[in-house]
Amino acid sequence: MTKRSWMARLVTAAAVGAVTTTVLAGCSSGDQAAPAQSGDAEMRTVNVAVLPTSNMAAVYLGEAEGFFADEGLDLNMTTVGGGAEMIAGLQAGSFDFIVAGYVPLFAAAANGLPLAIIAANDVGGGTPDEEWQALLVGADSTAKTATDLEGAKIGVNALKGVAEATIRASLRQQDVDDTTVQFVEIPFSEVPAALANGTVDAAFGSEPFITGTLADGGRVIDTPSYNLGANFPNGAWATSVDITENEADLVDRFTRAITASIEFAAENDDAVRAILPTYTALTPELAEQIRLPIFRSALDRAQLDTLADLLVEFEVVAKAPDLDQLIQG
């Protein structure tokens, strides 16, 4: 496949995804779902915020496989733009459950918002080859290893985010002076083009843009999350403390259902690849080629402590949250 065809398809996919996100986000769960029909009197509708990304596959599979219905839950899923929007909706009562990255969750909790993490959703790779988020260089780059990135301009999807923190920590591990690196904001969808035209020396990419970059002759030059630990934490399911205190049975039912969903996704790669095109902009062909997220429901407290320390060290968050209070899974 040529560079032009990969780039064109990736740009088209990103554009379709943006439109899809906008349209779906307009169907806000703030407009409360209709009550269950009389034939489903025991069903409880729950409002859930999700992203149009591959690591959301578990919840969609769980719905399709009936794990939520088995617990008497009917999901009303709303696609939003990011973790901050999810947390705002959770606090406003628009969402009952959200799945977000640890940075927005930790930042919100550190600022006093009453959140509760109930289960992990996905983690980094258990080996470098499994990493579905990695630091990339383009086909024309002369850099061979992370040690060649001193003084480099590196693209990340968000400044002062988890990508920047993990990249800096990884560079320090490899005796690279991370203070010489300049970080610039490059959305995931623009990574292949930015590497191809030399806008940045390296960029943090996620799928399907890793696969696209590799097809264009680019290379993975570092796997920051893996360097901090195999299966390093990435995203988690959360709810409000109000819901955990006043609707403990609902939280238990949802936790059982999402745990079953995540375990199913972890054991059924073919099912994950098949469902991706139904809610993302991926074509079935691209869904067959990408590196899949690593689904895992168990929360690794030691790694979460490491992550919290890194986020404080690199000033992503002003202070670490009280993880004893935040983690209830």
Side-chain angles (χ1 to χ4, degrees):
M1 186 171 290
T2 66
K3 183 174 185 177
R4 180 179 296 275
S5 63
W6 257 106
M7 289 296 294
R9 295 184 70 179
L10 285 169
V11 170
T12 300
V16 172
V19 172
T20 302
T21 302
T22 301
V23 171
L24 291 176
C27 304
S28 171
S29 62
D31 300 322
Q32 295 297 319
Q37 299 300 313
S38 57
D40 297 320
E42 299 302 316
M43 295 295 288
R44 164 73 182 271
T45 297
V46 291
N47 297 311
V48 179
V50 295
L51 298 167
T53 53
S54 59
N55 55 334
M56 299 293 106
V59 68
Y60 283 95
L61 282 172
E63 182 183 44
E65 293 295 319
F67 299 136
F68 291 94
D70 289 346
E71 294 289 346
L73 302 177
D74 179 30
L75 300 189
N76 176 38
M77 288 192 279
T78 298
T79 303
V80 300
E85 187 177 351
M86 289 184 175
I87 292 169
L90 185 66
Q91 294 304 307
S94 299
F95 304 131
D96 301 308
F97 299 94
I98 63 174
V99 53
Y102 287 99
V103 170
L105 292 173
F106 281 13
N111 286 328
L113 293 180
L115 303 176
I117 293 176
I118 59 174
N121 182 73
D122 56 284
V123 297
T127 68
D129 288 342
E130 287 182 345
E131 271 295 353
W132 53 283
Q133 298 185 109
L135 194 59
L136 307 163
V137 293
D140 297 331
S141 174
T142 60
K144 302 299 182 184
T145 69
T147 58
D148 297 320
L149 294 179
E150 192 158 311
K153 181 186 290 186
I154 298 179
V156 291
N157 61 306
L159 296 177
K160 290 295 182 181
V162 68
E164 182 175 333
T166 55
I167 290 169
R168 291 182 65 184
S170 179
L171 292 177
R172 284 191 185 181
Q173 279 186 352
Q174 298 169 79
D175 296 323
V176 177
D177 183 357
D178 63 289
T179 64
T180 68
V181 172
Q182 178 187 357
F183 289 96
V184 296
E185 192 163 305
I186 302 287
F188 285 139
S189 61
E190 297 177 16
V191 163
L195 292 174
N197 63 29
T199 301
V200 292
D201 301 305
F204 187 72
S206 186
E207 287 289 19
F209 305 106
I210 290 178
T211 295
T213 300
L214 297 180
D216 291 344
R219 303 181 303 282
V220 172
I221 197 169
D222 198 26
T223 50
S225 292
Y226 174 78
N227 292 347
L228 298 178
N231 299 129
F232 202 69
N234 188 68
W237 285 90
T239 187
S240 67
V241 169
D242 179 66
I243 290 177
T244 63
E245 291 179 346
N246 296 307
E247 298 194 72
D249 179 65
L250 172 63
V251 174
D252 288 344
R253 289 154 61 193
F254 186 90
T255 302
R256 285 194 297 268
I258 195 59
T259 298
S261 303
I262 293 166
E263 291 174 353
F264 181 85
E267 296 169 1
N268 292 275
D269 287 357
D270 288 345
V272 172
R273 295 186 189 279
I275 207 165
L276 286 175
T278 69
Y279 74 93
T280 73
L282 287 175
T283 64
E285 180 184 13
L286 287 178
E288 286 297 321
Q289 297 178 50
I290 67 169
R291 301 180 182 192
L292 292 179
I294 309 298
F295 295 99
R296 182 150 319 163
S297 62
L299 293 159
D300 188 321
R301 176 58 188 269
Q303 288 190 321
L304 290 176
D305 285 335
T306 297
L307 177 58
D309 291 341
L310 283 176
L311 297 181
V312 173
E313 179 180 357
F314 294 115
E315 300 180 342
V316 175
V317 297
K319 62 179 180 179
D322 182 345
L323 294 187
D324 290 332
Q325 185 176 43
L326 177 61
I327 297 172
Q328 299 191 22

